[in-house]
Amino acid sequence: MTRLTDDLVRGVSGSLDSVDDMLRRTTGMGRMEMACDALGLSPGDISLEGFKAFAVPITSGLGVIKRFSESVAEIARKLGMDASVTESSDVTGFAEAVNAGAETVFMADDTTFAAYNVKAGTYANNSFCTAAGYTSALKGAAGGLEGRKVLVLGAGRVGSIAAGMMVRGGAAVCVADIETERAERLASAIGAKASDDIRKAISSHDLILNASPARIPGSIIREGAIISSPGIPHTFDAEGLSKATVIHDPLDIGTSVMAMQSASFSRLK
Ligand code: 2YC
């Protein structure tokens, strides 16, 4: 999983409203509607009345990312949760959250970012929720994916989950990855096609879910393409941004779906 940097997280807090605007403009859905659509729910299905959430800084591995927990809590607040960051980190922070009546606890080490629902005893996983969120965004921006050709760039965790979701949603999915055999393995597992020519694949698709760290030159992007892009780092050039609708943020969309999935474990009406 690609690890965020302090720099990437620094911008999240100040851009929550512009992410909501970008989502409405490109997909017709705001943060809450997109998050619920990603889960096959509608906003009315979940009551967040008195819902307490805590983000616990985790110091394992490469340690804490500056403002990561604060940004997660802010995103949860935007969705209507009573969310905050614990004083303590790690297990002590988890205990603090449970003692303070947490219904959901957000925690991320270098491998897993989870939103644990204390009441339901199960958790939402960031990889699944990021895949679901960016798939929902692509579907919204494209006006539906059934019968549409979609290119998935990157056969890692997020790309693999998203590719499977879109195949099940009736899209004609093509998978490409810098490691061709990884693309071929995923394609055969989900009943999709694989391409061994990434540049050709990009230049022949109007709909792209980019779950890779690749730098995609604008020169090979089709005019009017829609690129739903959880991939980090996010490096589209001016030509690419002028030709295509690019949907991206480093943390917000995945965390919003996680928050709503975690809440759905105990608050589904
Ligand atoms: O601040 C903390 O508590 C750190 N332990 C957080 C580490 C997050 C590592 N994961 C990532 O940077 C990316 C995020 C986009 C979510 C999933 N992977």
Side-chain angles (χ1 to χ4, degrees), residues 1-4 57-58 63-65 68-69 108-109 113 126 232 250:
M1 168 175 66
T2 311
R3 181 181 162 92
L4 287 173
I58 303 297
V64 163
I65 298 175
F68 177 84
S69 295
D109 62 18
F113 178 15
N126 177 267
I232 295 174

Side-chain angles (χ1 to χ4, degrees), residues 1-5 9 56-70 90 107-113 126-127 130 157 230 232 250-251 255 258:
M1 168 175 66
T2 311
R3 181 181 162 92
L4 287 173
T5 62
V9 175
V56 181
I58 303 297
T59 61
S60 65
L62 295 172
V64 163
I65 298 175
K66 238 189 242 92
R67 292 198 53 74
F68 177 84
S69 295
E70 291 76 2
D90 305 303
M107 298 167 278
D109 62 18
D110 293 343
T111 312
T112 304
F113 178 15
N126 177 267
S127 298
T130 299
R157 262 187 285 186
I232 295 174
L251 185 60
T255 302
M258 284 173 85

Side-chain angles (χ1 to χ4, degrees), residues 46-240:
I46 297 175
S47 152
L48 290 178
E49 192 55 45
F51 194 97
K52 278 193 173 185
F54 287 85
V56 181
I58 303 297
T59 61
S60 65
L62 295 172
V64 163
I65 298 175
K66 238 189 242 92
R67 292 198 53 74
F68 177 84
S69 295
E70 291 76 2
S71 302
V72 168
E74 271 195 68
I75 294 163
R77 283 198 293 273
K78 276 284 178 193
L79 291 162
M81 293 183 172
D82 167 5
S84 54
V85 180
T86 53
E87 290 295 314
S88 302
S89 64
D90 305 303
V91 180
T92 308
F94 178 77
E96 179 191 326
V98 173
N99 293 339
E103 199 156 339
T104 278
V105 185
F106 292 93
M107 298 167 278
D109 62 18
D110 293 343
T111 312
T112 304
F113 178 15
Y116 178 69
N117 186 304
V118 179
K119 266 193 187 156
T122 187
Y123 69 95
N125 175 284
N126 177 267
S127 298
F128 173 86
C129 292
T130 299
Y134 278 88
T135 296
S136 166
L138 184 60
K139 183 181 66 173
L145 295 177
E146 187 140 14
R148 306 287 296 273
K149 277 178 60 187
V150 179
L151 171 64
V152 174
L153 284 179
R157 262 187 285 186
V158 171
S160 301
I161 297 167
M165 288 173 173
M166 292 188 285
V167 166
R168 287 193 295 279
V173 173
C174 175
V175 181
D177 188 288
I178 195 130
E179 291 173 41
T180 311
E181 57 289 346
R182 202 157 79 138
E184 283 160 357
R185 266 200 312 277
L186 171 60
S188 57
I190 62 172
K193 284 194 328 184
S195 166
D196 60 1
D197 183 339
I198 294 181
R199 292 175 69 89
K200 183 159 166 280
I202 292 170
S203 58
S204 60
H205 281 83
D206 290 321
L207 302 178
I208 298 175
L209 190 128
N210 173 41
S212 81
R215 216 186 94 61
I216 303 172
S219 56
I220 63 172
I221 294 174
R222 284 167 79 114
E223 186 64 46
I226 300 172
I227 306 176
S228 188
S229 192
I232 295 174
H234 178 70
T235 51
F236 286 84
D237 57 31
E239 184 182 0

